Amino acid sequence: MSNRANPLVFQIGSSPLFPDGNLIALLGTMTFQTNGSPLFDPTFMVVSPITNGISFSGDRYSYTDSSGQKHYDSNRSFGFRIVAVTNLADGGFLKQDITSTPGTPMIPGASGNQVSKISSIQLYLVSWETAMENKVRSGSSYTLTSNNLGTFNIATADKGSGFYQGYTYASIEGQVIPSNGSAPLPGQSFRESPIVDIPFGEVIGNPILTLTIVEEPGFSIQDAYGTDKTKIAEAQLTLQNAESGKLYGVEVLFSDSEGSQSFSLHLDGQRSLFAIPYHLLFGGEPVTGSVSVDWTGLSSSVPNLRSIEVTGIDQIRADMAPAGQYKDTITITITPKDTL
């Protein structure tokens, strides 16, 4: 499992994740890799409890005078919590407040193997108060006063019967799991560097783009004959340090090792062996190798998902193919667009 942090900026949350206008900051995004084993009940195990709560202080709206000038009180406190947003492969999402009690599930009420259901998990700092656009001052910075956001580990259930029937710790950013199966130390911090001040409404620099590809375990060539198509992966693009409410765009480039404009599956993945040509679809749109496809309307407030599909395989050609596994390796490159 991996976790990427971002430059922290407070923004006003928006629908659908935070429709009540909480003050939020994206702490980081977690993605999961497994060796093919089932992923049962991924769960937070808090090492340094956040029992005392989290607070930031700074300017708070007080009143508006007769001339229309807004006045603010300084060094007022705001309470926060940490919320995990689990993005699901079908485009949905689930939210869960992270508590100081070990065993906080990432997907409440989930059952069975989650390995193909979880696209990624984002960790947010979220104010308890709502309608914060009326309470904080744009351009002001807010200071962490509780000094600690806490640390955590992740564990997964050993079986589908539930977390408390036995669990195993997952490695985060290369953590070494002790041979006796106990929690790895130190725990993973909710933040990777000391927080002094977090600005509100001031996005510094360009958004950080993180592309995650969730691959399907495999597909049958017959499912992509002719106009039939089959899903082979899901692409998710996460925006960090992005302006709330602003839409972004990227160019997506699919290329093979030879920079060809067409795609082919090869026996055992060896380009010198028998080839089966195919067409690639990105979000339903045909892809030409080494030619960019636009992906626009991207937002930091919703999961940005697109399916990757295979189609257009000639059945006669496929019937001629020697038996075996057919593979192709595609590199995906994203480039931010200047304009949408």
Side-chain angles (χ1 to χ4, degrees):
M1 190 187 72
S2 64
N3 172 44
R4 290 187 176 92
N6 62 288
L8 291 178
V9 177
F10 275 134
Q11 298 175 325
I12 301 299
S14 59
S15 182
L17 292 183
F18 301 102
D20 297 325
N22 307 86
L23 194 63
I24 67 171
L26 180 58
L27 296 172
T29 299
M30 297 190 296
T31 57
F32 289 78
Q33 298 88 37
T34 73
N35 59 3
S37 301
L39 179 63
F40 295 124
D41 298 328
T43 303
F44 280 94
M45 300 294 289
V46 178
V47 176
S48 176
I50 48 178
T51 54
N52 296 326
I54 303 166
S55 61
F56 284 79
S57 64
D59 293 338
R60 184 186 184 103
Y61 172 76
S62 178
Y63 68 96
T64 301
D65 63 26
S66 58
S67 66
Q69 178 69 34
K70 291 184 176 180
H71 293 260
Y72 293 82
D73 293 334
S74 61
N75 297 320
R76 294 288 299 275
S77 181
F78 299 91
F80 285 79
R81 64 196 191 277
I82 293 175
V83 176
V85 175
T86 301
N87 299 314
L88 304 177
D90 63 3
F93 65 88
L94 294 168
K95 294 193 299 184
Q96 177 70 36
D97 281 16
I98 303 306
T99 69
S100 59
T101 302
T104 304
M106 295 181 185
I107 307 182
S111 61
N113 185 6
Q114 304 298 313
V115 70
S116 63
K117 300 176 185 178
I118 297 176
S119 179
S120 66
I121 294 176
Q122 295 171 321
L123 300 177
Y124 286 90
L125 194 60
V126 181
S127 69
W128 288 104
E129 294 185 65
T130 59
M132 289 292 284
E133 68 274 14
N134 301 319
K135 302 172 184 177
V136 291
R137 187 207 295 258
S138 181
S140 292
S141 291
Y142 292 82
T143 302
L144 177 66
T145 54
S146 58
N147 299 319
N148 182 33
L149 297 186
T151 56
F152 66 93
N153 283 316
I154 300 294
T156 61
D158 292 337
K159 301 178 181 178
S161 56
F163 177 78
Y164 289 105
Q165 301 301 313
Y167 55 86
T168 301
Y169 283 99
S171 177
I172 305 175
E173 296 287 9
Q175 281 179 320
V176 175
I177 308 298
S179 58
N180 62 3
S182 60
L185 295 173
Q188 183 74 11
S189 174
F190 281 103
R191 54 187 174 89
E192 290 190 356
S193 60
I195 295 173
V196 178
D197 297 302
I198 301 180
F200 165 60
E202 180 185 358
V203 175
I204 303 173
N206 296 320
I208 297 173
L209 307 176
T210 302
L211 180 66
T212 302
I213 304 296
V214 181
E215 297 184 15
E216 298 292 326
F219 69 96
S220 173
I221 287 178
Q222 290 90 336
D223 293 337
Y225 283 167
T227 58
D228 291 344
K229 56 187 178 182
T230 184
K231 182 177 176 181
I232 61 170
E234 182 95 60
Q236 175 174 325
L237 192 65
T238 301
L239 280 76
Q240 299 171 294
N241 195 40
E243 292 184 32
S244 179
K246 181 177 179 179
L247 298 180
Y248 294 83
V250 296
E251 295 179 347
V252 186
L253 187 71
F254 295 80
S255 59
D256 61 19
S257 60
E258 297 182 347
S260 174
Q261 289 194 324
S262 59
F263 301 104
S264 297
L265 297 165
H266 293 265
L267 179 62
D268 296 330
Q270 302 295 319
R271 299 195 68 83
S272 60
L273 300 181
F274 192 92
I276 302 176
Y278 68 91
H279 298 300
L280 199 62
L281 302 175
F282 183 55
E285 181 179 352
V287 173
T288 299
S290 300
V291 177
S292 297
V293 177
D294 288 343
W295 189 1
T296 59
L298 302 169
S299 170
S300 61
S301 61
V302 296
N304 303 293
L305 302 171
R306 272 201 178 184
S307 62
I308 302 174
E309 298 168 305
V310 164
T311 188
I313 292 179
D314 182 83
Q315 183 174 354
I316 296 176
R317 177 68 177 175
D319 288 342
M320 296 169 55
Q325 295 288 321
Y326 284 77
K327 303 176 183 178
D328 193 14
T329 300
I330 301 297
T331 299
I332 303 176
T333 305
I334 56 172
T335 305
K337 289 173 61 70
D338 292 334
T339 58
L340 298 186

